[in-house]
Amino acid sequence: MSGSLVEDPAGTALAPARPADPVPAPPPGRRVDVRRVLRFLVRRPGLLLSAGVLVLVVLASFRPGLFTSQDPLQGVPAQNFRGPSGAHWFGTDELGRDVFSRVVHGAQLSLKATLIAVLVAFVVGGLLGVVAGFVGRWVDDVLMRCVDVLLSIPALFLSLALVTALGYGTVKVAVAVGIASVASFARVARAEVLRVRQALFVEASRSCGARWYAVLGRHVLPNAAGPVIVLATLDFGSSILAVSALSFLGYGAPPPAPEWGTLISEGRNYLANAWWLTALPGLAIAATVLSTNRVARALDGEWSRQR
């Protein structure tokens, strides 16, 4: 037995024998995590396709020269209204410009506006929610009533009102779309801060004399940021639609800038004889939005359940 005494040949009792230390198990390596990720992706081919579409769109927004070498603003009038072919994958428009190159270069403008919109909503809405949830009392009441007013107005109408006041342009459209999404971020951030603020480890930190900014920075914000980040991913697709809708209405960058919404607006006058001017840019928007929503849904629930 492990606790028995050990005796020498002379019969003298010695110290109890110590059991052999167990050999520690080797820590799990990165290969297990990689296999889990690969298994997660292989079982979801739709997610793989969506991720591939997003990678292509991001590459097009940063390096459009990887996909096309044609100038999106210069056309050949003799080649106007050419249908999709090997020379022009998305056809040509009324001025003979290559529609595929305009869609590729338009990804930079549209994604730039979308990123600004999501960043504005994330920062402003998150800050309002954190202040309301952490401070509480009358500050919470005042901020949440303002958020309720924003929620009572449809997001597109609020964006239209804001962009009319701010003026035309890609950045101004992005700011208007971002402000219209502030309310949802503020609500989610406030709810998470209220949940974390009542946790036992936060109460223990306060009872130990920690300052309020230390509690906020070390405990509340790291544990409340996850759902807000997931909401930002989910809001990315709706922001693309909102930015494209305002560009379609003429509030975006002035022509001949190839924003996605502007491309659809310019092509609607030629639906009878050149359907590709509207259909193919619209398919690009739809594919990007659906791919974003698919990836966001995987990050939101499927991966956490898989873990």
Side-chain angles (χ1 to χ4, degrees), residues 111-157:
L111 287 190
K112 172 187 173 183
T114 303
L115 288 174
I116 295 175
V118 174
L119 184 62
V120 168
F122 180 82
V123 173
V124 178
L127 182 61
L128 291 177
V130 168
V131 172
F134 193 76
V135 177
R137 299 189 296 275
W138 63 270
V139 177
D140 185 15
D141 294 335
V142 172
L143 292 179
M144 286 302 102
R145 296 301 76 77
C146 296
V147 169
D148 291 339
V149 172
L150 292 178
L151 286 174
S152 65
I153 305 174
L156 184 58
F157 291 164

Side-chain angles (χ1 to χ4, degrees), residues 107-295:
Q108 183 176 13
L109 294 173
S110 298
L111 287 190
K112 172 187 173 183
T114 303
L115 288 174
I116 295 175
V118 174
L119 184 62
V120 168
F122 180 82
V123 173
V124 178
L127 182 61
L128 291 177
V130 168
V131 172
F134 193 76
V135 177
R137 299 189 296 275
W138 63 270
V139 177
D140 185 15
D141 294 335
V142 172
L143 292 179
M144 286 302 102
R145 296 301 76 77
C146 296
V147 169
D148 291 339
V149 172
L150 292 178
L151 286 174
S152 65
I153 305 174
L156 184 58
F157 291 164
L158 182 58
S159 301
L160 284 172
L162 291 173
V163 78
T164 302
L166 295 174
Y168 296 2
T170 302
V171 177
K172 295 177 181 179
V173 165
V175 172
V177 172
I179 294 176
S181 303
V182 162
S184 57
F185 281 84
R187 280 291 185 183
V188 173
R190 174 182 176 270
E192 290 301 311
V193 169
L194 287 176
R195 178 185 62 83
V196 176
R197 194 182 66 174
Q198 300 173 357
L200 293 178
F201 60 89
V202 175
E203 296 295 335
S205 179
R206 286 177 173 174
S207 64
C208 292
R211 301 285 185 177
W212 65 269
Y213 51 82
V215 175
L216 180 63
R218 293 181 182 178
H219 302 294
V220 176
L221 290 181
N223 290 281
V228 185
I229 295 175
V230 172
L231 178 62
T233 310
L234 291 170
D235 189 67
F236 195 84
S238 59
S239 295
I240 292 177
L241 289 178
V243 169
S244 300
L246 293 178
S247 300
F248 177 84
L249 295 175
Y251 292 100
E259 280 189 339
W260 285 350
T262 306
L263 294 179
I264 298 177
S265 178
E266 293 175 349
R268 61 179 175 171
N269 298 322
Y270 307 100
L271 283 174
N273 60 337
W275 56 268
W276 56 87
L277 297 181
T278 299
L280 297 182
L283 286 177
I285 296 175
T288 305
V289 173
L290 292 176
S291 300
T292 304
N293 292 340
R294 180 66 185 89
V295 173

